[in-house]
Amino acid sequence: MTTCRAGVTGLNAADNPAPGIAVIRSLKADPHWHGKIYGLGYDALDTGAYSSDLLDGAFLLPYPAEGESMLLQRIKYIAERTGLEVLIPTLDSEMMNFSMIESELKELGINMLVPSPYQIKLRSKMFLGEFCRKNSFPVPRSAAIMNPEQLNRCAGELGIPLVIKGIFHGAYTALNLEEARVYFNRIKNQWGIPVIVQEFLSGEEYDVVSLCDMENGIIGAVAMRKLRITEKGTAWAGITVRDEELLELSSKILERLKWVGPVELEYMKDSREGKYYIIEINPRFPSWVYLAAEAGQNLPLAALKLAGGEKVEPYSSYHTGLTFVRHAVDLVCPIDYLESLTLRGELSFNEKESKKNKKGTAKKTRA
Amino acid sequence: MEWNNKKSFGELHFTEGGFLFDPSTGVTFSLNKTASFIFNRLRRGESEKSILKELIKKFGADENIAREDMAEFTKQLKEFRLISRGQK
């Protein structure tokens, strides 16, 4: 599979970075990798689409709201152009559509390792509380609300501060009801309703990235403590840790979910009791997955191999104390990159790179 | 009296410069010279009595102050769940 043609989604590595670039970096980190990688984005300004050092090309996809049939149509076109063999979707918002067209893609010769629509629903923010309570997994109290008037009741039941979360992304801690209303509207405008309101727990945040095969067997798991967190709740620095209690809890949750594919489990370790509470389960790799690859578990590569039908031996260990810090880099590119993505929704770096070498990168213009 | 550690000292990452990392929690600590001196000997399995003796000799500290400092430091190690105290 290290010579295959892979498509990876989630290219926008901005303030709330999508995991695609980390997945691609992990694949390319393998010394035996000789395949081709196509980035699949949604907007001509998705930052990763311009990474000519990582991608062989980029294509834009229809937005998830356009539905799975539009997605299938576009993937068919991309497959005709590229010979796509494996797909790794990395965004919460698109995961249901990809899961719905898994068998159609398989018929086209495009393989994925993704959870079923039922599994995706079971761990969704709407149903996570119910799933955890039913299975006795510690979870903070939460409510899904449709309008800001319901915030008063939530504050009464869950207390203040409150954590206000989008159905797919975004999490803000509101210190009072006024702030809660502001965050409710911000999230509603970006991700729609319902908006999740969660009890605030004080403590340290931990994440586990894991991968399960088709038979729900765990192929690997790496735990990380968040060292720096942005206003949007995204880890901006972290360090690999190994706490058997945390890994065991994650394993039990995945077993109960009968999980297939990549997954990120987010926890809060309560500062008073030292107990782990499950905050979120995301049906994809996290944006920090490259840390796991560097720590000794290249889970994206394992996912690619499993999707392609290869047998993968489970990982048993990884390096602890490995740290990541994220920093922004400016990618400078010629105007025809933007032109190609804007007008045609695709960009081939092999063509562009050869043109760039012949013509130079840009013309000087006078203001 | 001996020091038993929950995680075993071998699991803790410690450098001579005084940087201590607990791989199970991801928490890091900066130890000063005296604390590093004590910690290094604790992880080698030296007794509290022997470390105290060395501490006085190396840093020329007053015995009572050195004893108090050591008690305070080991209390902190326990609070951060880096070690647990056990009687033999």
Side-chain angles (χ1 to χ4, degrees), chain A residues 117-314:
Chain A
Y118 175 70
Q119 290 166 323
I120 294 172
K121 192 178 162 192
L122 203 60
R123 48 50 54 196
S124 70
K125 290 180 190 175
M126 283 281 283
F127 298 103
L128 180 66
E130 191 186 325
F131 165 78
C132 287
R133 280 188 290 276
K134 210 166 147 187
N135 291 287
S136 307
F137 297 129
V139 65
R141 291 172 299 156
S142 65
I145 64 167
M146 308 297 277
N147 60 66
E149 286 69 46
Q150 291 172 284
L151 283 167
N152 282 338
R153 184 176 51 83
C154 289
E157 286 171 11
L158 307 175
I160 290 277
L162 284 170
V163 182
I164 315 289
K165 300 166 93 167
I167 196 78
F168 291 123
H169 280 293
Y172 299 95
T173 301
L175 300 176
N176 52 52
L177 270 174
E178 204 45 54
E179 272 188 15
R181 276 188 204 98
V182 171
Y183 293 141
F184 176 93
N185 288 321
R186 190 181 294 177
I187 283 172
K188 182 186 155 193
N189 292 338
Q190 194 173 3
W191 298 108
I193 48 174
V195 168
I196 311 296
V197 182
Q198 200 173 64
E199 169 190 17
F200 175 80
L201 291 177
S202 147
E204 299 287 342
E205 289 191 37
Y206 290 81
D207 256 23
V208 173
V209 57
S210 189
L211 177 72
C212 298
D213 63 17
M214 300 283 193
E215 285 77 42
N216 319 122
I218 295 178
I219 295 298
V222 175
M224 180 270 286
R225 176 179 170 242
K226 295 182 183 179
L227 294 178
R228 180 165 287 179
I229 302 166
T230 66
E231 195 205 349
K232 289 186 177 175
T234 304
W236 216 252
I239 189 163
T240 53
V241 297
R242 189 173 184 102
D243 184 352
E244 296 306 329
E245 185 192 337
L246 178 63
L247 293 172
E248 229 169 81
L249 176 60
S250 304
S251 163
K252 279 181 190 162
I253 292 170
L254 294 176
E255 194 182 301
R256 207 56 66 89
L257 281 169
K258 294 188 174 28
W259 197 257
V260 171
V263 64
E264 178 194 27
L265 302 110
E266 296 191 61
Y267 296 91
M268 179 69 79
K269 190 177 184 183
D270 181 69
S271 52
R272 286 166 303 176
E273 314 161 71
K275 183 176 166 182
Y276 288 107
Y277 284 83
I278 185 88
I279 303 293
E280 276 181 26
I281 300 176
N282 298 315
R284 50 153 176 87
F285 286 122
S287 57
W288 59 270
V289 70
Y290 182 69
L291 177 72
E294 285 288 312
Q297 296 198 7
N298 195 333
L299 300 178
L301 187 70
L304 190 97
K305 288 180 177 176
L306 287 168
E310 272 186 42
K311 195 173 161 46
V312 175
E313 285 303 316

Side-chain angles (χ1 to χ4, degrees), chain A residues 206 225 227 239-243 269 274 276 320-321, chain B residues 7 11 13 19 21-28 81:
Chain A
Y206 290 81
R225 176 179 170 242
L227 294 178
I239 189 163
T240 53
V241 297
R242 189 173 184 102
D243 184 352
K269 190 177 184 183
Y276 288 107
T320 55
Chain B
K7 299 161 186 163
E11 287 177 27
H13 172 88
F19 184 77
F21 168 64
D22 180 348
S24 69
T25 61
V27 181
T28 56
R81 299 175 187 180

Side-chain angles (χ1 to χ4, degrees), chain B residues 4-5 10 19 34 56 59-61 63 69 73 77 83-84 87:
Chain B
N4 296 330
N5 56 315
F19 184 77
T34 323
I56 294 163
F59 294 97
E63 189 178 337
D69 282 354
F73 175 60
L77 288 176
I83 55 170
S84 61
Q87 291 255 295

